[in-house]
Amino acid sequence: MTATLPENNDQKPVGHGRMLRKEDPRFIRGRGRFVDDLQLPGMLHLAILRSPFAHARILSVDTTAAEAYPKVKAVVTGAMLAEQNLAWMPTLSNDVQAVLATDKVRFQGQEVAFVVAEDRYAARDALELIDVEYEPLDPVIDVRKALDPNAPVIRDDLDGKADNHCFDWETGDEAETDRVFDEADVVVSQDIVYPRVHPAPMETCGCVADYDRIDGKLTLWSTSQAPHAHRTVYALVSGLPEHKIRVVSPDIGGGFGNKVPIYPGYVCSIVASLVTGKPVKWMEDRSENLISTGFARDYVMRGEIAATQDGRILAIRTNVLADHGAFNGTAAPVKYPAGFFGVFTGSYDLEAAYCKMTAVYTNKAPGGVAYACSFRITEAVYLVERIVDCLADALGMDPVELRLRNLIRPEQFPYTTKTGWVYDSGDYEPTLREAMRIAGYDELRREQKQKRENGELMGIGVSFFTEAVGAGPRKDMDILGLGMADGAELRVHPTGKAVVRLSVQSQGQGHETTFAQIVAEEIGIPPADIEVVHGDTDQTPFGLGTYGSRSTPVSGAAVALVTRKVRDKARIIASGMLEVSVADLEWEKGSFHVAGDPEKAVTIQEIAMRAHGAGDLPEGIEGGLEAQICYNPSNLTYPHGAYICVVDIDPGTAQVKVRRFVAVDDCGTRINPMIIEGQVHGGLTDGVGMALMEIIAFDEEGNCLGGSLMDYLIPTALEVPDWETGFTVTPSPHHPIGAKGVGESATVGSPPAIVNAVVDALKPFGIRHADMPLTPSRVWDAMQGRPTPPI
Amino acid sequence: MPRIRVEVDGVTYEDDVEPRLLLVHYLRDRLGKVGTPIGCDTTNCGACTVLLDGMSVKSCSVFAVQADERAVTTVEGLGINGQNHPMQQAFHEEHALQCGFCTPGMIMASIDLLRENADPSEDEVREGLEGNLCRCTGYQNIVRAVRKAASDMRQAERPVSPPRLRPATPEVTP
């Protein structure tokens, strides 16, 4: 099957076009510098003792033997941290989380004590010598039973807390939605679970904390997607002044949302460095990463959809039970405890919508928002795209046809949804038609019909999604009081080379390349002459970091605007050099010339030298050629996409094979098509993982059943097909270069397409829904008429 | 403590090591060869893949003492005179890496794959790299890169030596 990759017109080497990555040379030679690569004089190693129980009271912790072990420098317990008022820390959702457990443990894998030793082997040895006496308590594992009146109370640390209720949240108009449902011809409802999964970046979380006792400065190299926000939180928690804290995110081996929260390991390392006066490295292993760091999803949803008999969708109603684990550590803007789940109305023009959500505590690791979810949009899109398929089934209608009839029309943008989101732009039908064209949709349906007659199981699944990325307008969106704006600083050197400093932090998305391209396009300096600096809070302007596909929408806008600011100054300097008025100058990428006389021109490089050099500058103009700004977006960007998946299921083994996957994305202006395509490939692979393989499940005692890569299965090259990608371009009207975010689109959009395809293949068995992950055993169960929700 | 003598990227080292010291930690912590990273604790991910006497191994699952009197090649030992190995170059040109964390292991495994099969099909590349996980790329560009490197390497060999008949693979028949 040949992939249709349109030979697009934006292959130019400079600016918005395909450009090979500036990051690659170091990575392909093993010269990337990740946290664990750091080696400092006198550096010690930290290892964490973790709870074997999901729920247990701590009766005693004996560290005598561990302290006596050779090479051990310190052993620290929760009780010792409590004396310094450091046993608990704030989470990104205004809850608290134990750094080290004091009273009891609340999930398996929770941090109980740590050892600091001269090498990592000795630190691990000494962990074995710490003796903790536990009194096991009944755990709360099944989210559906967490609010039972007799359920054990997990958060008895919170004043007066007598149940496991975390928060309630609602959006939309309940009464109006009920009315539309009451009067509708057709109502379909379906229970849908988005199981707990884990982002599992190839590099786990870790840090090196180095507190310098002489100048009182803490430097923390850490796997952080948001180094500036982390610095502020550390200042608030530790009492160290913010200018004496430097957080550095070096190269990061993938983040996928896993590296947004602050983990106890970072805090322990800081404490250890404060106590020992030495640099302290903490690097978790894979099992620790999977059992204790930010999980994703875990939404138990009931979806309901109302429609007319001829297939006009009228309303969507949903009820959600959200499992947040033992501490509410969700990384989401403060006013959005359920993230942006409110976009569950999807790409359709509805009359009404309503969602009611309850979040609860369970004896599991904290998290929820991670793994390219764009703040819960994975869940929202999964819900709407599944329930629309259920409706298509009930109406006996082709799922593509049903979608085509209900998509928001281009003239309706900006479109305000029934839950209050203002979609910026979209031309949906051509995107869906393009996906159908690449897939050969009608031919696929014919093939399927034929195969069904032969007893073969072939399924075709479609999903059409609208994303909401680029958080966000500071009047609405903040993380712990920090507005979600991003700074940018551009400095042009005398010789016309430039450095641009970002507040966001790449974890592989290619920022060092693409941000240079944005600057290059705006000011005409070749990308090779532009250094992109990010990740070091001492060197870069403040901003909120990279997650929620927000880099291009927010920081990308900031970089375009700061470059224009520099260009405006360059124009004034050029007017002095050419002795004409500013109004008489015309910009042609890289130089100003006198209008009507292209020969009379100065290049940006000449202007840069003049800005720093000898000779008069126009009145009121300072020397130098640089600027900085802080960009506050007016709205999110709303990219969209149409995905079509083809699966074959072996009727004997129930093994699902993704045969083809067509992904057509529209993220507005495309800065670097090569990089977008790579992001889409990666996200689609996440989708195959989540739909078919990945789950963090628990047994009744709260033992994590997905705690290593032996059990937590992520796709290899064998489980994924050759991806077929395409695109349309509908720019964002409010973005300086018309670009929308895209990084998470494929992770958001692909799981429903795959599940819809599997359910479509299983039509002959009379089933309408099966929950992820669609492993052979679960598909087999569904084929036997007993589809079950995951544990 | 056992004493080992091991050649790493063309340099011979003699060291006293604990028997339990993993090769990957010996490379990283003792020799400073941090180009080879660690991605898991169950031998699944392949991020730590190096060549041991020319054959790919996951260095998290080999003790340093087992490398005694043997030669290790890491990603840092690949380029010649500052030039990229064709596999490194192909990864760059085909955008076969993003965060770069799986890349060293992926490149080493791919080189071993081509040693066994100089002209692998797409399916053969996918199968050959099954022991190496990547979270960023979705594998497609990696497959492209390996096949491009294979083609480049075959072409580069042509002017040096005349075309040779490959020895017939003995067929195993039951």
Side-chain angles (χ1 to χ4, degrees), chain A residues 589-604:
Chain A
K589 202 160 102 179
S591 67
F592 286 103
H593 65 262
V594 177
D597 188 0
E599 296 296 304
K600 277 191 78 180
V602 283
T603 64
I604 189 71

mmCIF file of all heavy atoms in Angstrom, chain A residues 589-604:
data_model
loop_
_atom_site.group_PDB
_atom_site.id
_atom_site.type_symbol
_atom_site.label_atom_id
_atom_site.label_comp_id
_atom_site.label_asym_id
_atom_site.label_seq_id
_atom_site.Cartn_x
_atom_site.Cartn_y
_atom_site.Cartn_z
ATOM 1 N N LYS A 589 12.372 39.759 2.691
ATOM 2 C CA LYS A 589 13.010 38.902 3.686
ATOM 3 C C LYS A 589 14.528 39.038 3.737
ATOM 4 O O LYS A 589 15.230 38.678 2.813
ATOM 5 C CB LYS A 589 12.624 37.447 3.439
ATOM 6 C CG LYS A 589 12.792 36.584 4.679
ATOM 7 C CD LYS A 589 11.966 35.323 4.576
ATOM 8 C CE LYS A 589 12.846 34.144 4.212
ATOM 9 N NZ LYS A 589 12.063 32.914 4.124
ATOM 10 N N GLY A 590 15.015 39.591 4.825
ATOM 11 C CA GLY A 590 16.456 39.721 5.023
ATOM 12 C C GLY A 590 17.012 41.104 4.766
ATOM 13 O O GLY A 590 18.163 41.364 5.088
ATOM 14 N N SER A 591 16.211 42.003 4.156
ATOM 15 C CA SER A 591 16.747 43.358 3.897
ATOM 16 C C SER A 591 15.618 44.371 3.716
ATOM 17 O O SER A 591 14.490 44.031 3.366
ATOM 18 C CB SER A 591 17.649 43.341 2.668
ATOM 19 O OG SER A 591 16.881 43.069 1.507
ATOM 20 N N PHE A 592 15.992 45.638 3.978
ATOM 21 C CA PHE A 592 15.092 46.749 3.672
ATOM 22 C C PHE A 592 15.638 47.474 2.440
ATOM 23 O O PHE A 592 16.849 47.671 2.316
ATOM 24 C CB PHE A 592 15.041 47.744 4.842
ATOM 25 C CG PHE A 592 14.243 47.241 6.017
ATOM 26 C CD1 PHE A 592 14.890 46.750 7.145
ATOM 27 C CD2 PHE A 592 12.855 47.285 5.989
ATOM 28 C CE1 PHE A 592 14.164 46.293 8.230
ATOM 29 C CE2 PHE A 592 12.124 46.820 7.078
ATOM 30 C CZ PHE A 592 12.772 46.318 8.205
ATOM 31 N N HIS A 593 14.732 47.876 1.562
ATOM 32 C CA HIS A 593 15.179 48.700 0.445
ATOM 33 C C HIS A 593 14.231 49.883 0.278
ATOM 34 O O HIS A 593 13.085 49.863 0.747
ATOM 35 C CB HIS A 593 15.293 47.895 -0.858
ATOM 36 C CG HIS A 593 13.990 47.373 -1.365
ATOM 37 N ND1 HIS A 593 13.570 46.087 -1.134
ATOM 38 C CD2 HIS A 593 13.008 47.973 -2.086
ATOM 39 C CE1 HIS A 593 12.383 45.894 -1.689
ATOM 40 N NE2 HIS A 593 12.020 47.018 -2.261
ATOM 41 N N VAL A 594 14.747 50.886 -0.373
ATOM 42 C CA VAL A 594 13.927 52.064 -0.616
ATOM 43 C C VAL A 594 12.849 51.697 -1.632
ATOM 44 O O VAL A 594 13.135 51.058 -2.648
ATOM 45 C CB VAL A 594 14.803 53.227 -1.156
ATOM 46 C CG1 VAL A 594 13.934 54.441 -1.490
ATOM 47 C CG2 VAL A 594 15.863 53.591 -0.133
ATOM 48 N N ALA A 595 11.624 52.092 -1.330
ATOM 49 C CA ALA A 595 10.497 51.753 -2.209
ATOM 50 C C ALA A 595 10.781 52.247 -3.620
ATOM 51 O O ALA A 595 11.169 53.407 -3.815
ATOM 52 C CB ALA A 595 9.213 52.392 -1.671
ATOM 53 N N GLY A 596 10.644 51.353 -4.550
ATOM 54 C CA GLY A 596 10.865 51.720 -5.942
ATOM 55 C C GLY A 596 12.325 51.692 -6.364
ATOM 56 O O GLY A 596 12.641 51.932 -7.530
ATOM 57 N N ASP A 597 13.219 51.403 -5.430
ATOM 58 C CA ASP A 597 14.647 51.366 -5.765
ATOM 59 C C ASP A 597 15.331 50.204 -5.030
ATOM 60 O O ASP A 597 16.004 50.394 -4.027
ATOM 61 C CB ASP A 597 15.302 52.699 -5.383
ATOM 62 C CG ASP A 597 16.749 52.770 -5.887
ATOM 63 O OD1 ASP A 597 17.211 51.795 -6.528
ATOM 64 O OD2 ASP A 597 17.392 53.797 -5.625
ATOM 65 N N PRO A 598 15.145 49.001 -5.529
ATOM 66 C CA PRO A 598 15.657 47.805 -4.837
ATOM 67 C C PRO A 598 17.177 47.811 -4.688
ATOM 68 O O PRO A 598 17.724 47.090 -3.859
ATOM 69 C CB PRO A 598 15.216 46.656 -5.748
ATOM 70 C CG PRO A 598 14.170 47.213 -6.632
ATOM 71 C CD PRO A 598 14.445 48.674 -6.771
ATOM 72 N N GLU A 599 17.862 48.632 -5.458
ATOM 73 C CA GLU A 599 19.318 48.688 -5.352
ATOM 74 C C GLU A 599 19.757 49.350 -4.052
ATOM 75 O O GLU A 599 20.808 49.040 -3.514
ATOM 76 C CB GLU A 599 19.896 49.490 -6.536
ATOM 77 C CG GLU A 599 19.647 48.834 -7.888
ATOM 78 C CD GLU A 599 20.354 47.492 -8.021
ATOM 79 O OE1 GLU A 599 21.586 47.459 -7.846
ATOM 80 O OE2 GLU A 599 19.663 46.484 -8.276
ATOM 81 N N LYS A 600 18.952 50.305 -3.594
ATOM 82 C CA LYS A 600 19.283 50.994 -2.341
ATOM 83 C C LYS A 600 18.730 50.161 -1.182
ATOM 84 O O LYS A 600 17.565 50.299 -0.815
ATOM 85 C CB LYS A 600 18.683 52.411 -2.317
ATOM 86 C CG LYS A 600 19.539 53.426 -3.051
ATOM 87 C CD LYS A 600 19.054 54.851 -2.780
ATOM 88 C CE LYS A 600 19.518 55.335 -1.398
ATOM 89 N NZ LYS A 600 19.057 56.719 -1.112
ATOM 90 N N ALA A 601 19.599 49.289 -0.657
ATOM 91 C CA ALA A 601 19.118 48.334 0.341
ATOM 92 C C ALA A 601 20.178 48.091 1.407
ATOM 93 O O ALA A 601 21.381 48.267 1.157
ATOM 94 C CB ALA A 601 18.749 47.016 -0.336
ATOM 95 N N VAL A 602 19.725 47.714 2.574
ATOM 96 C CA VAL A 602 20.651 47.236 3.614
ATOM 97 C C VAL A 602 20.136 45.904 4.139
ATOM 98 O O VAL A 602 18.930 45.714 4.313
ATOM 99 C CB VAL A 602 20.804 48.225 4.792
ATOM 100 C CG1 VAL A 602 21.697 49.385 4.399
ATOM 101 C CG2 VAL A 602 19.466 48.713 5.291
ATOM 102 N N THR A 603 21.041 44.983 4.369
ATOM 103 C CA THR A 603 20.641 43.673 4.862
ATOM 104 C C THR A 603 20.509 43.715 6.380
ATOM 105 O O THR A 603 21.029 44.626 7.042
ATOM 106 C CB THR A 603 21.690 42.594 4.518
ATOM 107 O OG1 THR A 603 22.900 42.913 5.213
ATOM 108 C CG2 THR A 603 21.946 42.534 3.025
ATOM 109 N N ILE A 604 19.848 42.722 6.914
ATOM 110 C CA ILE A 604 19.670 42.648 8.364
ATOM 111 C C ILE A 604 21.038 42.526 9.048
ATOM 112 O O ILE A 604 21.245 43.062 10.132
ATOM 113 C CB ILE A 604 18.695 41.500 8.740
ATOM 114 C CG1 ILE A 604 18.333 41.560 10.236
ATOM 115 C CG2 ILE A 604 19.250 40.133 8.406
ATOM 116 C CD1 ILE A 604 17.445 42.715 10.599
#
